[in-house]
């Protein structure tokens, strides 16, 4: 059985037992492949898409796919946010709630770019909040998480070990791409003419990857983190480009998330 055949078998079984599902979509390569496979199987479901309010130029591809494929998308704000930092890697970990199901989705932070308007990291933390989103009853979330996925904040390896995550009083989570590699994803995209974000990805020396500048990478916001840097060598007083003033490092005053892998990412 090929990986694609196994994925379709997992999807068919999951859809049979959980017919009221939603697909988690970011517009990245993995979620585009998952969406394409499910639609090719005749499974047309609403999408969950956590769209950030900053730097809207990053979303040109998403807007086009939404219109061309006539997608039904649910998007809302988190109920809480907290920072994560590992060396020079930054994220804001956001917690969302839809009906009774809790989801987490990080917003990566990268350095301000010369041709991208920067955001104050504190503004990302203080973004609008809402307790939950109420949608029609659903019983399953389809997610393009793979076993080979990594996260620098969590120490590298952060892939899923399972194909389905059963939770009490929450929607079941399905990972039908668990066994796929990044190369498998790109092979499927090229073989099946799946649209992808040309501004985010590029092929160098025959290998696909993300562009270094992250200007069109929706997983990141260009932001300043000078006043919340908690590395031991960080200065006590820093320059704030937003105020154009010297301010104090307030890393001890902001909330920090528990940087721990979820249980299904551990052996």
């Amino acid at each position: 059985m090929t990986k694609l055949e196994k994925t379709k078998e997992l999807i068919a079984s999951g859809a049979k037992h959980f017919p009221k599902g939603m697909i988690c979509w970011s517009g990245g390569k993995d979620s585009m492949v998952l969406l394409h496979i499910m639609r090719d199987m005749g499974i047309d479901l609403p999408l969950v898409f956590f769209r950030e309010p900053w730097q809207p130029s990053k979303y040109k591809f998403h807007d086009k796919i939404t219109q061309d494929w006539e997608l039904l998308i649910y998007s809302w704000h988190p109920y809480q946010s907290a920072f994560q930092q590992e060396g020079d890697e930054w994220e804001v970990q956001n917690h969302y709630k839809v009906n009774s199901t809790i989801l987490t989705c990080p917003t990566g932070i990268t350095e301000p770019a010369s041709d991208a308007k920067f955001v104050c990291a504190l503004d990302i933390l203080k973004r609008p909040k809402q307790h939950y989103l109420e949608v029609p009853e659903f019983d399953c979330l389809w997610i393009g998480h793979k076993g080979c996925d990594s996260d620098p904040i969590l120490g590298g390896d952060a892939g899923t070990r399972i194909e389905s995550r059963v939770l009490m009083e929450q929607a079941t989570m399905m990972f039908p791409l668990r066994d796929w590699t990044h190369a498998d994803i790109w092979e499927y995209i090229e073989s099946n003419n799946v649209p992808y974000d040309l501004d985010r990805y590029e092929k160098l020396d025959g290998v696909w990857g993300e562009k270094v500048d992250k200007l069109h990478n929706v997983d990141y916001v260009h932001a300043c983190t000078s006043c919340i840097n908690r590395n031991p060598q960080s200065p006590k007083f820093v320059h704030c480009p937003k105020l154009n003033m010297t301010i104090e490092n307030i890393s001890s005053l902001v909330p920090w998330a528990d940087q721990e892998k979820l249980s299904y990412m551990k052996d």
Side-chain angles (χ1 to χ4, degrees):
M1 183 182 297
T2 67
K3 291 180 182 180
L4 178 57
E5 290 171 340
K6 181 179 179 181
T7 290
K8 289 185 174 181
E9 185 178 83
L10 292 172
I11 292 174
S13 177
K16 176 182 177 181
H17 291 91
F18 302 99
K20 300 177 181 179
M22 297 195 296
I23 302 172
C24 290
W25 183 70
S26 69
K29 68 183 193 309
D30 301 329
S31 63
M32 282 301 300
V33 166
L34 177 60
L35 178 61
H36 186 273
I37 293 173
M38 296 189 72
R39 287 168 63 93
D40 190 56
M41 294 175 64
I43 302 174
D44 189 10
L45 299 173
L47 307 188
V48 172
F49 177 33
F50 299 128
R51 184 174 184 136
E52 302 289 2
W54 307 281
Q55 296 149 8
S57 62
K58 292 175 178 280
Y59 293 94
K60 290 186 295 184
F61 172 77
H62 303 72
D63 293 337
K64 178 173 174 49
I65 293 297
T66 299
Q67 295 176 32
D68 291 350
W69 290 17
E70 298 183 346
L71 302 176
L72 171 60
I73 294 177
Y74 295 125
S75 186
W76 67 104
H77 296 294
Y79 66 84
Q80 71 178 28
S81 302
F83 288 115
Q84 298 186 134
Q85 181 186 5
E86 186 64 36
D88 294 328
E89 294 286 341
W90 293 83
E91 288 180 351
V92 174
Q93 182 62 269
N94 299 302
H95 288 75
Y96 299 83
K97 189 172 184 180
V98 52
N99 293 359
S100 62
T101 297
I102 294 176
L103 300 170
T104 60
C105 184
T107 297
I109 299 177
T110 189
E111 294 179 351
S114 58
D115 49 353
K117 186 177 179 180
F118 83 92
V119 178
C120 171
L122 295 177
D123 291 338
I124 300 178
L125 180 71
K126 297 185 291 186
R127 63 176 297 178
K129 304 292 193 303
Q130 65 185 90
H131 293 300
Y132 66 94
L133 177 74
E134 185 173 349
V135 302
E137 179 184 357
F138 75 101
D139 52 17
C140 176
L141 284 168
W142 296 92
I143 304 171
H145 193 178
K146 307 189 305 301
C148 65
D149 288 338
S150 61
D151 187 323
I153 294 290
L154 300 178
D157 176 21
T160 176
R161 270 56 173 170
I162 55 177
E163 297 164 343
S164 179
R165 189 181 188 207
V166 179
L167 299 169
M168 299 302 294
E169 300 180 358
Q170 296 190 50
T172 295
M173 298 182 182
M174 298 288 187
F175 308 104
L177 301 181
R178 185 197 65 172
D179 296 331
W180 290 49
T181 65
H182 299 304
D184 293 331
I185 293 292
W186 284 113
E187 181 181 348
Y188 182 91
I189 288 174
E190 291 186 306
S191 299
N192 295 275
N193 295 316
V194 179
Y196 64 91
D197 194 341
L198 292 168
D199 292 326
R200 175 175 176 178
Y201 299 103
E202 62 183 351
K203 194 174 187 179
L204 297 175
D205 299 325
V207 179
W208 283 100
E210 295 184 341
K211 295 183 177 181
V212 176
D213 59 21
K214 297 184 173 63
L215 286 177
H216 299 279
N217 191 328
V218 298
D219 291 345
Y220 291 86
V221 174
H222 295 277
C224 174
T225 57
S226 296
C227 69
I228 58 166
N229 194 332
R230 62 173 180 173
N231 284 332
Q233 68 274 21
S234 300
K236 180 178 180 181
F237 304 108
V238 298
H239 176 73
C240 172
K242 179 179 178 180
L243 302 176
N244 195 24
M245 298 178 184
T246 299
I247 63 173
E248 188 175 7
N249 186 316
I250 60 168
S251 58
S252 62
L253 303 180
V254 298
W256 293 93
D258 180 17
Q259 295 176 200
E260 178 71 19
K261 295 179 186 177
L262 297 175
S263 59
Y264 72 92
M265 301 178 187
K266 301 176 183 178
D267 291 323

